[in-house]
């Protein structure tokens, strides 16, 4: 599978399957692992880094399942290609700015991936559609198990898995969900909800992780604690917190419908009208309009578009995907025109 | 024909027939006439006013054509009904605030009308679709001719027809066009154009006459001079000025298409998307969106809607028409919801 093949494949975790998929876009579980006898990437020299990549790729060959993973060497990808991987959430922005041997192993559907020489030697990741952190955990846990057969991960009896940053030590697990909370934003309850969730030991971030905005009312909720609890306990806590969030969001939506129904209908339908007809769309405006339409689908006001289509557009309308699809770099204004074209094509396939 | 019948009939001058109808909505000619031996309405007492109405209605009966006119006594209409007539441009806002016997004679299609005891005893009016001031003049001239057979109009050999306000004396004629100039507004040339047109002896006003805004880029251009020129000369001057305006507008549109085509397409199509889907529309927003769609139709970007439909909506979405159609008074927010319903029904008759 070439990079182009991969970048053109539909992303499986955007298919709106799984529980609560009208509100919970996806569930992601990440495991940090490091090899013994090799310094953490931040401390590693050129040779160490090359050694790590070589060791992991050799380990891949040992097993039928891991053999199917495809390795994209970061240095073998141009900037645009790297950004496409970032937009697909299989490569971190941090990896792009690093040096030395590094890259990412990906499964065909984009659900499973392993970053090599990012902050840790290996960062396993599974993303599943909807609210299913357990399934994601199971998939990624099995994958790291396969690697563990041929690689020796640094593990301390008292501390657990060792990681470059102490905040990840222990399980090395970070679980998160990407959740769409337009109701709580519209009822202005989001600040209070974020405070509550934070006190429960979770972090709330924007679409692309730490320090990014909650574009289109999309939030990432993830566990802060990695140490002193079992993986099952951590996942259980997250599922519970997310279930509460979903309930709050459903209540907010109901409250909106009963107090300002016309305004909500207007907001939702206008967004649908604009998405279908606009000839220029910034990515920020797209995300906000798509958020309103997604709310409309959730409220069963709009039946003309699927959650899957909206999810896919969220990835496909990002700057690097647009430029990759068109095969050339685009000025911001050209991108806005092409983004609007793309959205119209996808929303009105016949027109 | 009852008031309800009249208010439900399509307005003939909105059918987008006539020349230049993509830019010129309508042409209007008004003639002011007063009877001898009766004081002007401002000076008239109750009896004089009743006498005037009686005399005119008797004159109506003398002729087959005028017999078909229907009289709406202003005092026999409630506020909402009067406002419906104002929105149809057959009654002036000024007449609503006057006292004593007064009203309006209307022809079935709403093209011909005569206000009684407004500023003058009789104000004849013809409105025709598109750029056809000559046809409007001919129609209204013939109508006043018929009345002149049984009524004696005040006429002075040197000054011409006498009127309550000296600015109307002479021909008593005021001719105007309702013209849509979004191109000149977008290219910010409108101020310069208004200055030029004013220097040529024309007034430029908003949709509902003096002191009103140019909602939806709709302007009324009318002659200021009524004295010392023949009716034909006045109409010729107006036609010439309007032809120039149309040319300026066409140039502005062409300039926009060649310099900012994407922005114009975006503006036009968004407006179309919103009009088709919004669930709440203020009248101001409607006028602005309809203006953009009308521009899109003129530029042959949008083919899904006719100018006639847009013209009709311009009248039917006004507050009093909405309330009249629904048969009850509406709060502003309810009107916005019903306006949006009306617009959707009319734009998507099948949906």
């Amino acid at each position: 599978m070439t990079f182009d093949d991969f970048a053109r494949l539909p992303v499986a975790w955007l298919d709106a399957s799984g529980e609560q998929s009208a509100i919970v876009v996806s569930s992601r579980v990440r495991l940090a692992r490091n090899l013994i006898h090799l310094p953490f990437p931040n401390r590693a020299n050129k040779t160490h880094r090359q050694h790590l990549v070589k060791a992991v790729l050799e380990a891949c060959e040992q097993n039928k399942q891991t053999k199917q993973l495809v390795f994209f060497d970061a240095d073998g990808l141009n900037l645009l290609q790297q950004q496409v991987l970032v937009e697909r959430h299989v490569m971190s922005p941090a990896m792009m700015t690093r040096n030395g041997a590094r890259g990412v192993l990906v499964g065909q559907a984009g659900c499973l991936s392993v970053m090599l020489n990012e902050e840790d030697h290996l960062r396993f990741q599974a993303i599943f559609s909807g609210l299913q952190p357990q399934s994601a955990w199971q998939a990624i846990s099995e994958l790291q198990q396969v690697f563990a057969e041929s690689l020796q991960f640094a593990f301390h009896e008292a501390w657990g898995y060792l990681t470059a940053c102490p905040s990840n030590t222990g399980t090395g697990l970070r679980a998160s969900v990407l959740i769409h909370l337009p109701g709580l934003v519209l009822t202005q309850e989001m600040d209070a909800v974020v405070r509550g969730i934070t006190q429960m030991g979770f972090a709330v971030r924007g679409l692309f992780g730490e320090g990014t905005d909650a574009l289109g009312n999309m939030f990432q909720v993830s566990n802060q604690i990695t140490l002193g609890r079992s993986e099952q306990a951590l996942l259980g806590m997250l599922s519970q917190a997310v279930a509460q969030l979903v309930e709050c969001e459903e209540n907010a939506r109901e409250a909106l419908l009963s107090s300002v129904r016309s305004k909500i209908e207007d907001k939702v339908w206008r967004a649908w009208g604009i998405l279908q007809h606009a000839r220029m769309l910034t990515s920020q405006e797209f995300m906000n309009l798509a958020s309103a339409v997604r709310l409309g689908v959730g409220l069963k006001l709009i039946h003309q578009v699927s959650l899957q289509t909206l999810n896919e557009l969220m990835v496909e309308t990002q700057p690097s995907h647009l430029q990759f699809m068109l095969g050339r770099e685009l000025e911001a204004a050209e991108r806005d025109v092409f983004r609007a074209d793309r959205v119209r094509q996808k929303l009105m396939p016949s027109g």
Side-chain angles (χ1 to χ4, degrees), chain A:
Chain A
M1 184 172 63
T2 67
F3 175 86
D4 282 16
D5 294 337
F6 178 73
R8 288 210 169 79
L9 279 175
V11 177
W13 57 269
L14 294 171
D15 71 1
S17 60
E19 278 178 43
Q20 301 288 6
S21 65
I23 293 176
V24 181
V25 178
S26 58
S27 303
R28 177 174 162 267
V29 173
R30 181 265 281 162
L31 290 177
R33 295 291 184 263
N34 289 275
L35 300 198
I36 58 167
H37 305 316
L38 265 184
F40 292 131
N42 274 340
R43 292 271 180 162
N45 64 26
K46 213 175 147 185
T47 318
H48 294 140
R49 295 171 152 274
Q50 288 170 343
H51 183 79
L52 181 276
V53 171
K54 192 161 165 275
V56 174
L57 295 184
E58 278 170 10
C60 270
E61 295 300 313
Q62 309 301 312
N63 181 285
K64 210 171 64 184
Q65 189 193 350
T66 53
K67 230 177 168 168
Q68 290 175 4
L69 296 174
V70 175
F71 182 62
F72 294 127
D73 183 334
D75 286 331
L77 301 175
N78 61 34
L79 194 67
L80 185 63
Q81 291 174 317
Q82 292 186 34
Q83 280 163 336
V84 166
L85 295 184
V86 171
E87 289 175 354
R88 298 199 152 213
H89 295 255
V90 294
M91 187 187 265
S92 68
M95 175 167 268
M96 290 178 60
T97 56
R98 287 178 170 264
N99 294 314
R102 70 203 186 286
V104 61
L105 285 161
V106 296
Q108 196 165 320
C111 291
L112 296 180
S113 59
V114 191
M115 282 195 289
L116 307 187
N117 278 329
E118 207 245 20
E119 188 180 288
D120 293 296
H121 288 155
L122 295 100
R123 286 224 162 165
F124 292 92
Q125 175 184 267
I127 313 185
F128 276 49
S129 178
L131 180 57
Q132 40 180 342
Q134 288 291 348
S135 310
W137 154 248
Q138 204 158 344
I140 207 63
S141 172
E142 280 171 24
L143 186 66
Q144 74 92 35
Q145 206 55 50
V146 172
F147 278 95
E149 286 165 18
S150 34
L151 298 172
Q152 216 178 334
F153 294 143
F155 184 82
H156 182 278
E157 263 189 38
W159 301 335
Y161 289 102
L162 300 181
T163 54
C165 177
S167 69
N168 292 315
T169 296
T171 57
L173 176 144
R174 179 144 289 159
S176 65
V177 296
L178 183 59
I179 186 163
H180 183 227
L181 303 173
L184 290 169
V185 172
L186 283 169
T187 55
Q188 298 184 306
E189 294 169 270
M190 201 54 212
D191 285 351
V193 165
V194 168
R195 273 197 301 277
I197 289 280
T198 307
Q199 279 168 5
M200 290 164 68
F202 295 93
V204 181
R205 303 191 178 94
L207 187 52
F208 286 98
E210 224 154 335
T212 64
D213 280 344
L215 260 183
N217 307 313
M218 289 286 179
F219 297 88
Q220 278 198 62
V221 179
S222 60
N223 68 310
Q224 290 285 63
I225 305 163
T226 57
L227 192 70
R229 307 272 173 104
S230 72
E231 286 87 350
Q232 285 307 323
L234 292 171
L235 291 169
M237 281 166 63
L238 179 69
S239 293
Q240 215 176 341
V242 171
Q244 267 184 43
L245 265 183
V246 168
E247 198 184 324
C248 289
E249 172 64 17
E250 281 170 345
N251 290 341
R253 292 180 182 193
E254 230 165 90
L256 286 169
L257 270 195
S258 63
S259 64
V260 286
R261 187 178 183 100
S262 293
K263 277 194 189 166
I264 294 299
E265 290 186 347
D266 187 52
K267 184 183 176 66
V268 156
W269 282 107
R270 266 170 200 257
W272 176 240
I274 295 173
L275 280 186
Q276 279 184 101
H277 292 287
R279 261 55 182 173
M280 295 178 89
L281 284 171
T282 64
S283 67
Q284 191 178 343
E285 192 190 8
F286 168 77
M287 286 298 291
N288 290 333
L289 294 171
S291 170
V293 171
R294 185 171 236 285
L295 175 62
V297 174
L299 294 174
K300 304 201 189 307
L301 297 171
I302 294 187
H303 303 276
Q304 294 91 327
V305 65
S306 69
L307 290 171
Q308 179 171 11
T309 299
L310 291 172
N311 287 352
E312 287 175 357
L313 277 172
M314 189 167 72
V315 168
E316 291 169 12
T317 58
Q318 289 174 80
S320 302
H321 269 79
L322 292 177
Q323 296 177 83
F324 172 75
M325 277 185 284
L326 211 64
R328 63 178 176 90
E329 279 197 40
L330 297 167
E331 300 285 318
E334 289 179 292
R335 279 207 303 268
D336 292 348
V337 170
F338 187 56
R339 177 177 295 111
D341 287 353
R342 202 53 210 120
V343 170
R344 287 203 313 286
Q345 280 167 20
K346 191 133 179 167
L347 295 183
M348 302 189 290
S350 57

